Amino acid sequence: MRVRDLLAPGAPRLRLLAAEEELDRQVSGVMTTDLHDPGRYLHGGELVLTGMLWRSGPADSERFVRTIAAGGAVALAAGEAEVGPVPEDLVEACRRHRMPLLAVPDDIAFGTVTEFIGRQVSADRAADLAALVDRHRLLVSAAGGGGLDAVLDLLGGDLDLDCWVLTPTGAVIAGPTDRLTAEDRDQLVRAHLAAQRQRRRPPHRARLAGGAYSLLPAAASAEHEAPLADWVLAVAGDVTEWTTKRQQLAENLARLVAAERHRRDEGRRLRRRLADELLALLRRDADPAEIGRALYASSAMAARYESPEPKSQPQDASWLVLSAEGTGLPEGMVRAVLEEALGGTSDRALVAGAGHGAVVVLPALDGPVPADTLRELLAPLEAGLGSEGRITLGVSAPASEAGGLRGALEEARHARRIAAARVGRVCVAGPEELASHVLLLAAVPDEVRRAFRSRLLDKVIAYDIEHQADLVRTLEAFLRSDGSWTRCAGQLHVHVNTLRYRIGRIEELTGRDLSRLEDRVDFYLALELA
């Protein structure tokens, strides 16, 4: 269709404000945006629909029109529902750039315009498979991620093509959840993250029991440097075996998903600012009333996002604090990862921080979050971590009031130090471990830990290596059996005299007496450090 078709009888009641001489331009699609710089998501031929929320002054109009003209947009339609009549500076900017400008009255929904163009484009170009995604892209509006589900549903109906948008931890953003098991999603995101880490060129391919899948990254922008937080477009089939036009379909769909991801991230800016302000309040031990107001603002914002209907004041809730640190990862990566993994559809998590660390405050809606649950949630990220990459995370017990958040933050930091003392790429520790000896071990400097472990165990380990003995395992079993000779011998399947010989050998090598409680405690701690 052409731009002038939008002014024909039967079309939505739009008003032409500028560039009448350019109405013969061909419209191939629609992009709905209020981004300040949408140029990176334009592919040429789009009508740009905007509510003008990006405009704060005349200079913004010039910059916006220049950007979309450079990106190949063929016309601009400005809605008057949010900010009122189209300003004259926008009209003048469109005249200078020969950009047709249409006003969308406040009683005409953007969806009405997109549906009209969709019908026209479909009728004109139904034979062109590559145009299918263009047609479905018309369904994606500023309203949010529901548009992605509509696009993927239509692809499944029109082309029998199953597609999913997944988070890097395997959660489904959009797509038919009943056709992909949790185990399948886990394998797909692990394959994608491993390929990203190895810097392989997409599309990445994975083969499951149900067949082949193609995986394409959906980064928020070209400058996006948090691949562990990228969405993943999973397509049933091997796109490298498709025709050129069908491959273009998958590539265009990946761009669409990236644009939606960028839109979602733009919407999170205010929530990030709230999170940073809350963390600053906690660090300076602010008045609990001030912290409570920040929490209320967060809850109220989340409630508005979850439902357009007005709600009563959010009820007081318990809050959890998580402290995380990344090793061998780019700055900002941990914050981006936790935003994606813990945000959920309600987006209630407040994720603050900078550099290599992050702090999360989130409602304890169902009580404390077990460390094992978080560990399982983040486990797929291991595939994307290099040999030096680690994420360690500590979880506090629930704080029932704002005044308890400062202590919860300290508790989470102590728990994170426990997690950091463990072996593994993703390690999590919870509040239940803070009453344990492990908390004391985590607070001891590394050089002291190494020296203590070495004095007690080095000779025993060396003996095992030289004589193919089993003294270390025997020592562990003896301590677990609380020094019971009979029970320990039974666990090791050896005679009691053999056990007595081994324990005697350990005492000779170390100069310690395992009948003494103090020496048993020292050995136990040394084994924990090992």
Side-chain angles (χ1 to χ4, degrees), residues 229-457:
D230 284 348
W231 286 354
V232 184
L233 173 63
V235 181
D238 186 347
V239 302
T240 62
E241 298 176 354
W242 292 359
T243 64
T244 301
K245 287 189 179 293
R246 200 174 175 92
Q247 288 181 23
Q248 289 173 354
L249 182 150
E251 293 166 0
N252 288 340
L253 183 58
R255 293 190 188 100
L256 183 154
V257 173
E260 172 61 20
R261 168 64 189 276
H262 182 77
R263 185 205 63 79
R264 200 286 313 274
D265 284 353
E266 288 289 312
R268 276 184 170 175
R269 284 189 175 184
L270 177 58
R271 191 157 185 81
R272 289 171 183 156
R273 189 158 66 245
L274 277 175
D276 289 338
E277 290 173 357
L278 177 60
L279 180 57
L281 291 174
L282 294 176
R283 283 174 171 167
R284 65 179 176 85
D285 202 14
D287 184 86
E290 194 173 359
I291 295 173
R293 286 191 292 271
L295 290 175
Y296 171 76
S298 164
S299 297
M301 178 184 295
R304 285 198 301 272
Y305 284 144
E306 289 171 13
S307 172
E309 297 297 324
K311 291 187 177 183
S312 59
Q313 177 171 321
Q315 298 296 314
D316 291 337
S318 296
W319 297 82
L320 296 172
V321 179
L322 282 60
S323 176
E325 190 75 20
T327 304
L329 301 176
E331 290 190 4
M333 177 79 80
V334 173
R335 179 177 187 169
V337 164
L338 291 179
E339 269 190 334
E340 205 55 58
L342 300 174
T345 55
S346 66
D347 211 12
R348 285 184 174 271
L350 285 169
V351 186
H356 299 285
V359 172
V360 184
V361 178
L362 73 163
L365 300 176
D366 299 313
V369 178
D372 289 345
T373 300
L374 284 172
R375 174 67 181 78
E376 184 177 347
L377 174 68
L378 299 175
L381 300 176
E382 293 177 340
L385 295 168
S387 58
E388 302 299 322
R390 291 191 78 205
I391 296 176
T392 55
L393 194 147
V395 190
S396 77
S400 59
E401 55 186 20
L405 278 183
R406 182 76 177 93
L409 175 59
E410 288 303 315
E411 192 173 61
R413 286 173 172 165
H414 285 306
R416 196 206 63 78
R417 285 197 287 270
I418 293 174
R422 294 175 175 162
V423 176
R425 292 185 177 179
V426 177
C427 297
V428 184
E432 66 280 357
E433 301 178 66
L434 294 180
S436 165
H437 62 280
V438 183
L439 177 60
L440 297 176
L441 297 181
V444 175
D446 287 346
E447 60 273 15
V448 176
R449 292 153 56 91
R450 285 192 294 269
F452 179 78
R453 182 176 63 235
S454 176
R455 283 198 301 271
L456 279 167
L457 296 181

Side-chain angles (χ1 to χ4, degrees), residues 191-220:
H192 173 74
L193 289 170
Q196 289 278 83
R197 179 170 53 82
Q198 296 163 7
R199 300 185 180 278
R200 286 187 282 169
R201 185 176 180 178
H204 309 133
R205 283 167 286 180
R207 181 164 290 278
L208 306 182
Y213 291 82
S214 299
L215 308 167
L216 295 94

